[in-house]
Amino acid sequence: MTYLLVAGLLCLSAVAADAQSSASARLLAAPPVLENLSSEPGVVEVKITAAPARLSLLPGVETDVYAYNGSVPGPTLELTEGDRVIVRFRNELPHSTTIHWHGVHLPFEADGSAFHPVAPGEEYVYEFTVHPGTAGTYWYHPHPHHHTAYQVAMGLQGAVIVRDPDDPLAHLSERILFLTDNRFTAEGAIDFAELGSRQARVDAENGREGDVIFVNGQVMPTLEITSGEVQRWRVLNASSARTYLLSLPGHGFLHVGSDGGLFEHPVRTDEVLLAAAERVELLVRGSGNPGDEVTLRSLPYDRYLPQTRPAEWTDTLELLTVRNSEESATDPITLPTTLRPIPALDPADATVTRPMVLTKNRINGQMMDMSRIDEVTELGATEIWEVENLVGMDHSFHLHGVQFQVLDRDGEPEAQPIWKDIVNVPKRSTLRFIVRFDNYPGKWMYHCHILDHEDAGMMGVLEVRPPEP
Amino acid sequence: MHRRDAQAIRSILSLAAVAAFLIVPAAVEAQEQVRKNGHDAHQAHQAHVERNVVEITAEDYAFRAPAEIPSGWTTFELDNAGEETHMLFIARLPDGVTFDDYMTGAVMPFNEVWQELRAGEIDADEVFPAIGERADPWFWETGFEGGVGFLSPGETGTATVNLQPGNYVLECYMRTPEGEVHSMEGMIDPLTVTAASAPGAPPSGDVRITLSEAGMEFDREVRPGTHTFEVHFADHPEGTFGHNVHVLRADPMVTVNDAVGWMSFVNVEGLTDPAPGTFVGGLHLMPVGSTGYFTADLTPGRYLFVSEYTGHMNVAREVNVGH
Ligand SMILES: [Cu+2]
Ligand SMILES: [Cu+2]
């Protein structure tokens, strides 16, 4: 009798364990973290190699990719304000490449822009110190002239998280949601449009979008939350062109951070627009009963020209399942109403208003020329940039090496100063941002972050010069 | 807005197209000469007294234009800040037709056919029949409401027309050196004309031009200086898009036929730079019976006033502006 009972229990637990493992296979997992090879306090030294690999991106099929340290997305670089960072990069790709540290305030030589290509077989050391006050969510990706879209689509991208030792939200449990999309052939190869095809024209116009959406490299994973728990989500749009309009039915978000870190004041919202390369920090509160599930979605958003607008643009995309865990509800937590002070840059300090006119694949009527300097400013200058999108589709605007504050959109002032390094400029609209060029002289690129547009020439160069002696 | 018979337009247009598809653009040195001479026309406009002026900038390849304007007499002032020739073509959409419909039902079929012509997949005489088949049927009810004719880089031109409330499109259908149509590259915008009326009044023209199948008639000699041309659209030749007038400052080597050939939609070398001279202004297609105005600053020299779609029917005039 007894042993039968035990056998029965074992049997049950075996089934439970099975269910557990299949469920955990679908649970959202963070990308791996880069190992710090330095034992010195305040120093982060990592090794990154870009190389071809064969990985399973879709269940049951292997795909030829390019990977940072063998992983797609690449491993996360975890940093703390004040860290001295040394990245030893090796290029084992068959092409020249770079690593661009998107949004990080660092020296020109460490920017990894097209000005510092790393040839196949070569190494490059990126060295910088993380500035205080820059805690936030950043990312890294290749930036070779004309080939960024291809290399990113092949799998080269990863997250950078910079932490504040006095993070006001450090007590919250945190998830990274690294969003990418891709397109595959029936054989599982990454699918690029044939040159001259209708799809190639659509991709050139819209930027290449994929029909498979990944969160941390997983398709529709499950994220668990306990009833009453407040989680901090760092959502990063590493897609080449796709814009997400995030919505979590029945929940809503507390929007607490942007590209350059936390806001001063949190903002309640039900939808968050996230253009390619943008990041947000969102607080989400588990509010269902144990076992309840709700889907994080991307709602339709029309960023397209009528002639290339995809037929399925009105579809709602499903990104991941949020499941209320079986655990009992956690105690409510209190959140500070002020997260950190953000001093507003003062338009009265601006020495110039620089017009940036966006048309197809051009900025101010010009296509990118590596040998041309489009704009010149002096180190320490404060400037207003007026970005005007004249055409009938959204473009974005990214400026290397600095964070800026949007002043107004079509004349409507922003609610509060927040730090941005990339901003969506909706069709036929104008926005102004204010920026200060501190610390680092050099040649800084600015461009549309729809990567096919960037590659086609929708990019320019600002030279920041040291003051004349 | 007058309704047109798509079938008739198609068949006759194909003939017109062949007739218009004539002569290769003129010698490059001639063009450079007129280009140099043409740049001083830039500054001259009339004072905007009592006028409802809408300023529009042409860039490569987009307009900077308002989204909404009041109805009534309106002067469109087009400043070509780009490096290529542009135009401002104003079309009024039939009721119930949206800007997106216009893109997918008109601009895209035109572009498709153009790309097939350019690729050598169809012949010039197949172009307009193909457009007739592929454009949405409502396209033939689109109202052509004037606008500024071809304008060379650095030039400013105005067109004054009386606009009724409705949904309009501002468009440039020039082509890039790579053969892409400017509107497909982004040089097209919706414009809403509201019921509110602007305090505008028609300007007083100093030279009257009548466009008809009989030709292009001027009521007086054109002297050097800035002129406001009053243009009367007396008829609408069957099977054409109607009359318009473009003013080209041209070298003696450039003929009317050169200019008409360059303007032809079915000329794979046409509607693209280099232009056969400097375009200093003009007035785009308008409904029969209407009157519109345009200004142009004419320094002494030789000009060709040419109607794009009826120039091959001799709706064109060589005008020597004396010293
Ligand atoms: Cu873009
Ligand atoms: Cu144009």
Side-chain angles (χ1 to χ4, degrees):
Chain A
M1 282 297 271
T2 312
Y3 83 91
L4 273 178
L5 198 76
V6 171
L9 278 174
L10 280 174
C11 198
L12 277 174
S13 58
V15 170
D18 243 40
Q20 188 77 36
S21 72
S22 77
S24 65
R26 290 171 35 243
L27 277 185
L28 180 73
V33 173
L34 280 163
E35 183 195 356
N36 184 2
L37 304 172
S38 170
S39 50
E40 215 179 309
V43 176
V44 174
E45 184 174 346
V46 297
K47 274 192 177 169
I48 299 182
T49 300
R54 201 166 162 79
L55 300 177
S56 175
L57 302 185
L58 297 171
V61 55
E62 292 207 320
T63 300
D64 286 313
V65 298
Y66 291 163
Y68 288 127
N69 293 2
S71 138
V72 173
T76 301
L77 177 59
E78 291 261 11
L79 304 171
T80 302
E81 288 179 2
D83 278 349
R84 179 88 199 129
V85 183
I86 303 153
V87 178
R88 300 191 183 281
F89 173 59
R90 187 172 165 75
N91 179 12
E92 290 181 4
L93 300 172
H95 323 280
S96 175
T97 190
T98 74
I99 301 185
H100 169 54
W101 307 93
H102 183 117
V104 181
H105 184 48
L106 39 57
F108 170 54
E109 295 70 28
D111 185 42
S113 77
F115 287 113
H116 295 98
V118 184
E122 296 288 303
E123 294 187 3
Y124 194 91
V125 181
Y126 298 95
E127 277 192 270
F128 56 94
T129 298
V130 182
H131 283 260
T134 64
T137 311
Y138 303 89
W139 64 302
Y140 64 98
H141 63 80
H143 210 302
H145 195 31
H146 297 310
H147 303 289
T148 298
Y150 175 74
Q151 293 191 7
V152 170
M154 284 298 286
L156 296 174
Q157 67 254 119
V160 179
I161 296 178
V162 174
R163 296 183 192 284
D164 172 2
D166 302 313
D167 187 342
L169 301 177
H171 56 301
L172 301 181
S173 89
E174 186 178 304
R175 301 281 185 280
I176 182 165
L177 274 62
F178 193 92
L179 307 182
T180 56
D181 62 345
N182 219 329
R183 210 155 71 203
F184 298 88
T185 65
E187 294 75 38
I190 294 173
D191 185 18
F192 294 95
E194 206 176 305
L195 216 67
S197 65
R198 149 102 191 140
Q199 188 61 51
R201 278 181 86 93
V202 170
D203 288 353
E205 201 72 70
N206 298 347
R208 178 179 174 275
E209 290 186 323
D211 52 353
V212 183
I213 313 289
F214 297 93
V215 185
N216 300 351
Q218 298 167 277
V219 178
M220 265 307 269
T222 295
L223 176 156
E224 289 209 307
I225 193 164
T226 307
S227 191
E229 180 192 9
V230 175
Q231 289 185 356
R232 175 191 201 169
W233 291 1
R234 295 174 185 268
V235 191
L236 200 159
N237 183 359
S239 310
S240 299
R242 188 178 284 286
T243 294
Y244 300 86
L245 181 55
L246 301 174
S247 147
L248 188 64
H251 284 70
F253 306 113
L254 197 63
H255 191 178
V256 295
S258 55
D259 305 333
L262 293 177
F263 290 170
E264 186 161 320
H265 303 293
V267 178
R268 263 286 310 177
T269 181
D270 287 326
E271 291 170 8
V272 175
L273 190 74
L274 199 63
E278 282 190 306
R279 291 87 67 202
V280 285
E281 293 188 49
L282 304 174
L283 302 191
V284 176
R285 186 174 219 285
S287 61
N289 296 312
D292 281 0
E293 292 187 346
V294 57
T295 303
L296 176 68
R297 311 154 180 225
S298 175
L299 304 176
Y301 173 73
D302 184 12
R303 66 180 185 86
Y304 308 98
L305 289 169
Q307 58 265 41
T308 47
R309 184 184 293 133
E312 60 282 4
W313 82 272
T314 50
D315 291 355
T316 291
L317 303 175
E318 305 200 323
L319 306 183
L320 60 74
T321 302
V322 177
R323 186 171 66 203
N324 265 81
S325 70
E326 304 291 339
E327 287 162 47
S328 53
T330 57
D331 294 333
I333 57 148
T334 52
L335 293 170
T337 51
T338 299
L339 299 171
R340 60 162 177 169
I342 297 189
L345 297 180
D346 186 354
D349 294 335
T351 51
V352 68
T353 294
R354 233 175 255 283
M356 292 284 145
V357 177
L358 310 183
T359 55
K360 181 179 174 177
N361 293 342
R362 290 165 190 249
I363 298 177
N364 291 337
Q366 304 261 37
M367 288 189 171
M368 175 68 184
D369 180 345
M370 292 286 291
S371 62
R372 189 183 66 221
I373 304 291
D374 298 284
E375 309 285 336
V376 177
T377 192
E378 205 173 81
L379 194 65
T382 298
E383 300 191 348
I384 292 170
W385 287 36
E386 182 173 283
V387 189
E388 184 184 23
N389 181 358
L390 287 182
V391 296
M393 79 170 288
D394 291 17
H395 289 286
S396 64
F397 197 87
H398 168 50
L399 176 54
H400 282 211
V402 289
Q403 294 285 325
F404 52 76
Q405 294 174 352
V406 175
L407 291 170
D408 44 44
R409 299 172 193 249
D410 279 337
E412 283 290 310
E414 287 285 274
Q416 63 174 331
I418 65 172
W419 291 116
K420 298 280 299 163
D421 53 56
I422 156 106
V423 62
N424 189 56
V425 192
K427 54 186 78 170
R428 301 187 183 98
S429 75
T430 301
L431 62 80
R432 296 189 315 147
F433 65 74
I434 186 165
V435 58
R436 196 169 62 218
F437 297 100
D438 284 332
N439 300 312
Y440 303 117
K443 289 188 242 174
W444 301 97
M445 297 180 136
Y446 51 86
H447 57 88
C448 177
H449 220 290
I450 294 173
L451 297 182
D452 298 88
H453 296 181
E454 174 194 329
D455 283 347
M458 198 166 178
M459 180 153 64
V461 177
L462 166 79
E463 182 167 4
V464 178
R465 293 187 179 155
E468 307 268 336
Chain B
M1 237 115 307
H2 46 283
R3 199 184 173 88
R4 298 182 199 113
D5 180 345
Q7 194 57 47
I9 285 189
R10 258 188 267 150
S11 55
I12 303 174
L13 268 180
S14 62
L15 295 175
V18 176
F21 178 54
L22 292 170
I23 300 148
V24 288
V28 173
E29 49 187 314
Q31 290 153 15
E32 277 171 1
Q33 187 59 42
V34 286
R35 212 172 258 280
K36 279 184 201 125
N37 295 344
H39 270 274
D40 43 354
H42 191 173
Q43 303 298 341
H45 336 287
Q46 291 198 324
H48 301 143
V49 187
E50 301 267 323
R51 288 234 228 131
N52 174 32
V53 178
V54 174
E55 289 179 2
I56 296 181
T57 312
E59 304 273 357
D60 304 327
Y61 307 101
F63 292 114
R64 181 179 293 106
E68 196 178 281
I69 59 169
S71 53
W73 281 100
T74 308
T75 297
F76 290 90
E77 184 177 297
L78 182 69
D79 173 17
N80 186 353
E83 288 173 7
E84 294 179 26
T85 304
H86 294 294
M87 72 175 93
L88 179 74
F89 170 72
I90 304 175
R92 184 179 178 191
L93 299 176
D95 286 347
V97 174
T98 66
F99 176 76
D100 283 4
D101 293 337
Y102 186 80
M103 286 305 301
T104 54
V107 177
M108 283 178 69
F110 269 80
N111 181 61
E112 245 174 57
V113 173
W114 155 244
Q115 295 298 346
E116 287 169 18
L117 175 75
R118 188 177 147 225
E121 292 162 18
I122 58 171
D123 294 331
D125 58 355
E126 295 172 281
V127 164
F128 285 99
I131 288 170
E133 275 160 34
R134 294 190 218 174
D136 277 349
W138 53 253
F139 174 72
W140 308 104
E141 292 170 49
T142 301
F144 303 142
E145 300 293 337
V148 182
F150 301 117
L151 208 55
S152 292
E155 300 290 329
T156 300
T158 73
T160 304
V161 292
N162 190 6
L163 293 184
Q164 304 308 307
N167 293 318
Y168 290 75
V169 167
L170 307 175
E171 179 178 359
C172 175
Y173 54 81
M174 281 285 298
R175 298 159 185 165
T176 70
E178 295 76 34
E180 304 295 338
V181 182
H182 288 191
S183 52
M184 289 291 288
E185 299 293 285
M187 200 157 189
I188 186 164
D189 285 312
L191 174 73
T192 303
V193 176
T194 65
S197 58
S204 47
D206 65 334
V207 178
R208 184 177 164 94
I209 300 177
T210 303
L211 303 175
S212 76
E213 286 184 71
M216 186 181 289
E217 298 302 327
F218 288 71
D219 73 340
R220 70 198 63 190
E221 192 188 347
V222 182
R223 308 290 307 159
T226 301
H227 295 282
T228 299
F229 294 94
E230 177 183 322
V231 185
H232 184 60
F233 294 77
D235 60 23
H236 185 117
E238 269 298 299
T240 74
F241 287 115
H243 303 292
N244 59 14
V245 54
H246 302 280
V247 183
L248 178 71
R249 193 188 157 91
D251 188 87
M253 296 174 72
V254 177
T255 65
V256 164
N257 276 346
D258 291 337
V260 171
W262 180 86
M263 291 174 195
S264 169
F265 184 88
V266 298
N267 176 359
V268 286
E269 310 266 298
L271 295 173
T272 190
D273 287 328
T278 302
F279 283 105
V280 297
L283 184 64
H284 234 305
L285 304 170
M286 288 190 73
V288 68
S290 61
T291 298
Y293 303 81
F294 74 95
T295 54
D297 179 37
L298 305 182
T299 54
R302 177 175 177 264
Y303 294 85
L304 302 177
F305 285 60
V306 181
S307 171
E308 185 178 349
Y309 298 101
T310 53
H312 65 284
M313 301 162 73
N314 284 323
V315 187
R317 193 56 101 74
E318 176 174 338
V319 176
N320 288 291
V321 177
H323 292 265

